[in-house]
Amino acid sequence: MLMNTNAKQGVFLAIAAYFMWGVIPAYFKLLDSVDSVEILMHRIIWSSLLLAIIISVKQNWMQISNIFRSPKTLVILVASSAILGFNWWLFIWAINNNHILDASLGYYINPLLNVGLGMLLLGERLSKLQYAAVSLAFIGVAIQVITFGSFPIVAFALATSFAIYGLIRKMVSVDSVSGLLVESMLLVIPAFLYWWFMVPTPSSNFADNSIGFNLLLMSAGIVTTAPLLCFVAAARRLNYSTMGFFQYIGPSIMFIFGVFIYGEQVGQDRWVTFGFIWTALVIYSIASILKIKKDNKAAS
């Protein structure tokens, strides 16, 4: 009964995490008058503060201390923090420059890219269905490039940076919250330097802003941290393979926002690419279900 309750809680938390990631574009659209680098600065600073509070409540500063005492771990987190900072910035830029559909496509591509990187770099073996899914995704992008002469640069940059970030984080045995705090701490100094030396903007001086607008900027910390905490809590209650079935909630919501709320146009090239990606994800999901059944059968 306890396991059943944990599973229900895990499902709720997973849906909450991916739902929040899906509606994040609405938050960044409220800040479209602010430069994307300036928003990134606020995202780094306020998420660092919030994570530090969480670590203090959990009394987990020893884990942070151990990370800084391990040169190898620290070097890996320096690399992951740089890639994460780029991913955060590009996502903000995409949302506020009318590329929500590219962001959506990027996070649809991401799980397929993870599978491909696992095969190429980690020696993971793919099933025939997984090979078919990755191949379809490749074909969809290839058709867009060859037939329409365009390449989804933003989408692939988002998908690639997040996939590489995940790959790097697999190399270090640090829990998600502690690791993210260290990554944010590594980015805080450049963020503060940017805030201090950047050319003044209408929003850079808190004294010139309304309280509501300042709170909106500071909310970048909550927007960054809240879905991650839900994700971590869900991952503790569910199998990681089960978690994978919820990851399409985010990009699906982004797609709806982009088309029906913010009026982005879905050109013929995008429909072709999305069609192939969606088909690939259906096949990928079927492959995942078959793998779960096979593993359960082997375990019994």
Side-chain angles (χ1 to χ4, degrees), residues 4 12 46 62-63 73 75 94-95 117 124 128 131 133 145 162 167 173 182 199 205 212 262 267 272 296:
N4 188 40
F12 173 79
W46 303 117
M62 184 59 69
Q63 173 74 5
T73 301
V75 167
I95 299 306
L117 288 177
E124 295 178 355
K128 292 181 180 180
Y131 271 118
V145 173
F162 200 68
L167 193 64
S173 57
V182 172
V199 177
N205 188 341
Y262 298 111
V272 169
N296 290 338

Side-chain angles (χ1 to χ4, degrees), residues 3-15 18 230-246:
M3 289 298 293
N4 188 40
T5 300
N6 279 339
K8 288 180 179 178
Q9 291 175 345
V11 169
F12 173 79
L13 289 165
I15 292 173
Y18 286 111
C230 287
F231 175 84
V232 171
R236 289 174 180 167
R237 292 167 171 82
L238 299 173
N239 294 328
Y240 204 69
S241 55
T242 304
M243 288 287 293
F245 292 107
F246 297 100

Side-chain angles (χ1 to χ4, degrees), residues 155-214:
F156 256 84
L158 282 169
T160 303
S161 58
F162 200 68
I164 293 174
Y165 170 75
L167 193 64
I168 292 175
R169 284 300 301 268
K170 284 178 70 70
M171 298 165 58
V172 59
S173 57
V174 176
D175 70 272
S176 297
V177 177
S178 298
L180 184 62
L181 174 58
V182 172
E183 289 168 337
S184 298
M185 290 169 67
L186 292 169
L187 294 170
V188 156
I189 293 177
F192 270 119
L193 288 175
Y194 175 82
W195 200 353
W196 184 263
F197 291 108
M198 72 176 175
V199 177
T201 67
S203 57
S204 60
N205 188 341
F206 268 24
D208 296 334
N209 300 335
S210 67
I211 294 176
F213 192 76
N214 284 337

Side-chain angles (χ1 to χ4, degrees), residues 245-261:
F245 292 107
F246 297 100
Q247 65 189 338
Y248 310 127
I249 294 174
S252 297
I253 294 174
M254 288 181 204
F255 184 88
I256 293 169
F257 270 50
V259 175
F260 298 104
I261 297 179

Side-chain angles (χ1 to χ4, degrees), residues 6-300:
N6 279 339
K8 288 180 179 178
Q9 291 175 345
V11 169
F12 173 79
L13 289 165
I15 292 173
Y18 286 111
F19 177 82
M20 282 188 279
W21 274 322
V23 301
I24 277 178
Y27 166 76
F28 288 122
K29 278 292 188 181
L30 295 175
L31 296 172
D32 61 1
S33 62
V34 183
D35 183 78
S36 56
V37 179
E38 189 175 341
I39 298 174
L40 173 62
M41 173 198 72
H42 285 288
R43 189 172 187 178
I44 292 168
I45 291 172
W46 303 117
S47 62
S48 297
L49 178 60
L50 183 56
L51 287 165
I53 293 172
I54 292 169
I55 292 293
S56 297
V57 170
K58 295 174 64 178
Q59 299 182 342
N60 203 23
W61 281 104
M62 184 59 69
Q63 173 74 5
I64 305 299
S65 177
N66 291 337
I67 292 173
F68 279 98
R69 289 175 183 171
S70 172
K72 180 180 178 181
T73 301
L74 197 56
V75 167
I76 293 173
L77 290 178
V78 167
S80 64
S81 67
I83 295 172
L84 183 63
F86 169 77
N87 181 271
W88 280 358
W89 166 77
L90 183 59
F91 182 79
I92 296 166
W93 180 90
I95 299 306
N96 287 351
N97 286 272
N98 301 317
H99 288 281
I100 296 178
L101 290 180
D102 285 317
S104 170
L105 179 60
Y107 288 106
Y108 275 128
I109 293 173
N110 180 249
L112 299 171
L113 198 57
N114 288 340
V115 172
L117 288 177
M119 176 189 68
L120 294 174
L121 302 178
L122 300 178
E124 295 178 355
R125 298 180 63 183
L126 304 186
S127 67
K128 292 181 180 180
L129 284 177
Q130 286 177 319
Y131 271 118
V134 174
S135 299
L136 276 175
F138 176 80
I139 292 171
V141 175
I143 289 176
Q144 179 173 341
V145 173
I146 296 170
T147 305
F148 300 97
S150 62
F151 182 81
I153 297 175
V154 174
F156 256 84
L158 282 169
T160 303
S161 58
F162 200 68
I164 293 174
Y165 170 75
L167 193 64
I168 292 175
R169 284 300 301 268
K170 284 178 70 70
M171 298 165 58
V172 59
S173 57
V174 176
D175 70 272
S176 297
V177 177
S178 298
L180 184 62
L181 174 58
V182 172
E183 289 168 337
S184 298
M185 290 169 67
L186 292 169
L187 294 170
V188 156
I189 293 177
F192 270 119
L193 288 175
Y194 175 82
W195 200 353
W196 184 263
F197 291 108
M198 72 176 175
V199 177
T201 67
S203 57
S204 60
N205 188 341
F206 268 24
D208 296 334
N209 300 335
S210 67
I211 294 176
F213 192 76
N214 284 337
L215 290 174
L216 190 63
L217 289 170
M218 294 169 67
S219 295
I222 298 175
V223 165
T224 299
T225 308
L228 174 70
L229 294 178
C230 287
F231 175 84
V232 171
R236 289 174 180 167
R237 292 167 171 82
L238 299 173
N239 294 328
Y240 204 69
S241 55
T242 304
M243 288 287 293
F245 292 107
F246 297 100
Q247 65 189 338
Y248 310 127
I249 294 174
S252 297
I253 294 174
M254 288 181 204
F255 184 88
I256 293 169
F257 270 50
V259 175
F260 298 104
I261 297 179
Y262 298 111
E264 291 190 17
Q265 297 298 313
V266 188
Q268 190 176 359
D269 56 338
R270 283 182 172 177
W271 278 125
V272 169
T273 304
F274 269 110
F276 272 90
I277 297 297
W278 285 333
T279 304
L281 290 174
V282 169
I283 295 173
Y284 171 77
S285 298
I286 293 172
S288 299
I289 292 171
L290 292 176
K291 184 179 184 301
I292 292 171
K293 289 182 177 180
K294 182 179 179 181
D295 291 344
N296 290 338
K297 186 176 181 179
S300 62

